[in-house]
Amino acid sequence: MSPTGATDPRWWRHAVIYQVYVRSFADSDGDGIGDLPGIRSRLGHLARLGVDALWITPFYPSPMADGGYDVADPRGVDPVFGTLDDARGLVADAHSLGLRVIVDIVPNHTSAAHPWFQEALTAAPGSPERGRYLFRPGRGDGPPNDWESVFGGPAWTGVADGEWYLHLFDASQPDVDWSTPEVRTEYLAVLRFWLDLGVDGFRIDVAHGLVKADGLPDAGDSDQHGVAVTQRLPYFDQEGVHEIYRSWRAVLDSYSPPRVAVAEAWTRDPARTARYVRPDELHQAFNFHYLRADWSATDLRAVIVGTLAATSPVGAPATWVLSNHDVQRHVTRYGDGPLGLRRARAALLLTLALPGSVYLYQGEELGLPEVLDLPESVLQDPIWRRSGFTERGRDGCRVPIPWTREGSALGFGPSGSRPWLPQPDGWSELSVEAQTGDPRSLLELYRTALRLRRDVTPEADLEWLESGPELLVFRHGNLGCAVNFGPAAEVTVSGPLLLTSEQCEVDGTNLLLPQDTAAWWSIP
Ligand code: TEU
């Protein structure tokens, strides 16, 4: 059950939400690819872990050019993942365990295999069929402007009659034109389709991308994605997106209990992100500023302060995230090996102590590292091909989960099956089975911390108690938290110690906190 009970309409304000990357979570039929029945079979893990909800990445019919983020039919289930009945059964099973279900919606683009795009390809320039996408005449022999694809190369591809179409991602993911009324109506209907099926909310893919600047002006930079998070680009974070989310909010609010949405919006600072969660817009936005911060007390403190300052005036809860299916896993970002793991343990206690809502990415509870040495022959991320085979892309954080010590797929799939990406040697000791019951394991730390977090006063403000260049000490309601980034330091704890990420010495109210260690205590 959620910390405040399954009927609390404000559950999302302090929920812990677990991201399931469907292809890599659990494979029920042995084809090497995770699926919806696989997720159903492993819901017990999520209930035992103690999360409130799961967000499932796209499982819709798709040619899988971008792992399902190329949607050919937003109202169906790809046969590789199961059926609509499996989706209904999954929602029902999750609900019976007290878990809510959030699904992905991909409104910035469709797959090239979507019937709309197929119609557009054979239709004439200027036709209504072309008007659902961004087709334009070229400039000279080249594309209409200088925009670059996030995955590398130009954001435009030419078609036989000389027009070009925009795709901010892969050429098989044409961008939809949100100034066309039919597009707006269609996506509102897609929202209703899944809400009527019983989902509790949506994660909105590329929420900052839907509206492009009038006239599609040049970006004027030749490394647009090196600068995308610091500078405004004419295709990201445009004012017009907010009106779309106001109309979506009205639909979400029309359900009882109201449903929720979280924006995947990459913006240049927390204040820009906060604009997506104004009272009549979305409920949450991922805090990528937190994810991007280095393992440093000053950097993390600055992001925490900046996030809370930006979200509280709009009345939205902050969110905190360390990993997802697009970024290098944080054990590896924080130094890899034993150092990365030690920091990930401390980072967990820091993250779960902050006010607001937390997103976890499958496998982080096992301490999975990024797999940096996948053979080139297995790489599937379109970034690999579009970068001219210079950037390996995101497959290293998408390697299937090890559930058991034994078996050809370590329990990810049935015995004898081979996962779509190979699991490295040594992952059997990271499996759920191997870590369960071991009090020193990261998995047990997650379980304990998530259980203790249920007793933390929700909606309390964060109050800094001590801080230094290498130390964060704060109070959140009845929880005290200290994280030490530097050499062993003494911290005063004003109540009984609840949990530490490593063994610590305590003498009365004096806690000696080693480097890269975090502690929780309860404040009466
Ligand atoms: O990602 C949007 C996005 O811009 C980045 O996360 C991007 O994928 C990354 O920086 C590339 O290095 C979303 C999805 O999360 C991602 O998996 C999809 O590939 C992308 O949209 C297109 O749908």
Side-chain angles (χ1 to χ4, degrees):
M1 288 292 138
S2 86
T4 47
T7 51
D8 178 6
R10 289 162 68 87
W11 67 276
W12 48 275
R13 296 183 64 89
H14 39 92
V16 177
I17 300 169
Y18 182 102
Q19 179 189 355
V20 171
Y21 188 70
V22 56
R23 294 197 298 162
S24 304
F25 190 65
D27 165 23
S28 71
D29 57 8
D31 63 1
I33 302 169
D35 48 41
L36 299 184
I39 301 174
R40 281 180 84 175
S41 74
R42 295 289 186 189
L43 286 174
H45 172 67
L46 303 188
R48 180 164 179 198
L49 189 60
V51 300
D52 302 291
L54 56 154
W55 146 38
I56 310 173
T57 59
F59 48 76
Y60 315 115
S62 164
M64 307 290 165
D66 184 20
Y69 281 98
D70 46 324
V71 179
D73 169 12
R75 291 177 180 80
V77 174
D78 195 281
V80 93
F81 298 133
T83 64
L84 264 181
D85 274 342
D86 292 329
R88 284 190 194 97
L90 170 53
V91 171
D93 286 0
H95 285 171
S96 71
L97 289 168
L99 297 165
R100 291 181 167 87
V101 179
I102 289 174
V103 296
D104 231 298
I105 183 159
V106 188
N108 181 69
H109 44 266
T110 69
S111 162
H114 190 292
W116 274 5
F117 194 71
Q118 290 301 308
E119 287 167 27
L121 282 179
T122 52
S127 60
E129 289 81 3
R130 289 232 166 150
R132 295 164 176 152
Y133 293 91
L134 289 144
F135 278 86
R136 292 290 183 278
R139 194 162 57 181
D141 290 340
N145 67 24
D146 68 353
W147 296 1
E148 292 171 357
S149 155
V150 176
F151 291 165
W156 296 91
T157 290
V159 297
D161 56 36
E163 285 212 312
W164 299 71
Y165 67 88
L166 178 72
H167 53 86
L168 292 182
F169 295 88
D170 191 56
S172 69
Q173 293 167 295
D175 278 50
V176 161
D177 187 346
W178 275 84
S179 65
T180 301
E182 185 190 0
V183 166
R184 296 188 180 228
T185 314
E186 164 64 2
Y187 279 91
L188 289 173
V190 172
L191 291 178
R192 289 187 185 282
F193 177 87
W194 291 102
L195 294 171
D196 292 342
L197 186 136
V199 307
D200 301 284
F202 297 94
R203 176 264 188 192
I204 305 168
D205 189 61
V206 199
H208 55 309
L210 277 49
V211 171
K212 279 74 183 176
D214 277 347
L216 312 185
D218 279 341
D221 199 293
S222 59
D223 178 20
Q224 291 162 26
H225 301 292
V227 294
V229 284
T230 50
Q231 168 184 304
R232 282 187 83 181
L233 291 165
Y235 45 85
F236 281 154
D237 199 23
Q238 300 293 307
E239 192 54 36
V241 297
H242 297 288
E243 177 195 331
I244 298 169
Y245 300 131
R246 282 184 209 110
S247 72
W248 288 25
R249 179 64 180 251
V251 171
L252 296 166
D253 282 349
S254 72
Y255 283 76
S256 176
R259 312 298 163 85
V260 303
V262 53
E264 187 218 17
W266 293 83
T267 70
R268 65 176 190 271
D269 58 42
R272 295 296 303 181
T273 302
R275 303 179 84 244
Y276 291 78
V277 292
R278 289 176 289 191
D280 56 349
E281 296 191 42
L282 303 172
H283 301 74
Q284 294 182 334
F286 291 112
N287 187 348
F288 294 127
H289 309 286
Y290 187 68
L291 177 151
R292 293 172 63 89
D294 286 337
W295 181 249
S296 131
T298 25
D299 288 12
L300 285 163
R301 188 181 200 277
V303 174
I304 295 166
V305 169
T307 299
L308 297 173
T311 48
S312 50
V314 292
T319 68
W320 312 99
V321 62
L322 292 171
S323 279
N324 66 34
H325 66 294
D326 290 332
V327 299
Q328 192 175 69
R329 283 188 176 274
H330 65 271
V331 164
T332 303
R333 285 203 322 268
Y334 288 162
D336 218 17
L339 177 67
L341 189 60
R342 185 183 176 98
R343 290 175 170 173
R345 293 174 66 90
L348 174 70
L349 297 201
L350 169 62
T351 305
L352 290 181
L354 295 170
S357 180
V358 172
Y359 280 82
L360 305 177
Y361 176 48
Q362 66 180 36
E364 71 166 81
E365 76 277 27
L366 305 177
L368 298 186
E370 185 82 2
V371 182
L372 298 168
D373 57 357
L374 286 169
E376 290 180 358
S377 59
V378 303
L379 296 181
Q380 292 196 12
D381 188 345
I383 291 178
W384 174 236
R385 180 177 35 82
R386 287 193 62 87
S387 68
F389 307 103
T390 57
E391 283 181 50
R392 295 172 65 87
R394 302 160 293 176
D395 291 321
C397 66
R398 300 173 175 180
V399 174
I401 298 299
W403 294 93
T404 57
R405 280 202 172 96
E406 308 289 335
S408 59
L410 302 178
F412 165 69
S415 181
S417 64
R418 285 164 58 91
W420 68 279
L421 290 173
Q423 297 156 310
D425 293 341
W427 273 29
S428 52
E429 285 315 305
L430 294 177
S431 65
V432 174
E433 179 185 39
Q435 296 196 41
T436 293
D438 174 356
R440 292 157 311 165
S441 74
L442 183 61
L443 176 58
E444 293 297 350
L445 185 70
Y446 269 76
R447 288 174 174 160
T448 306
L450 284 163
R451 180 169 47 74
L452 291 171
R453 187 180 181 274
R454 294 188 178 279
D455 298 327
V456 177
T457 331
E459 310 270 346
D461 286 338
L462 180 148
E463 187 188 329
W464 295 99
L465 300 176
E466 287 174 47
S467 74
E470 297 185 306
L471 194 63
L472 301 180
V473 189
F474 61 89
R475 168 189 187 157
H476 170 211
N478 56 355
L479 181 71
C481 177
V483 191
N484 183 17
F485 298 73
E490 279 208 356
V491 176
T492 308
V493 298
S494 50
L497 208 55
L498 290 171
L499 187 62
T500 56
S501 63
E502 306 291 334
Q503 281 215 324
C504 296
E505 284 169 40
V506 214
D507 179 9
T509 58
N510 283 342
L511 168 71
L512 185 66
L513 205 55
Q515 183 153 20
D516 295 328
T517 302
W520 282 3
W521 61 95
S522 102
I523 300 182

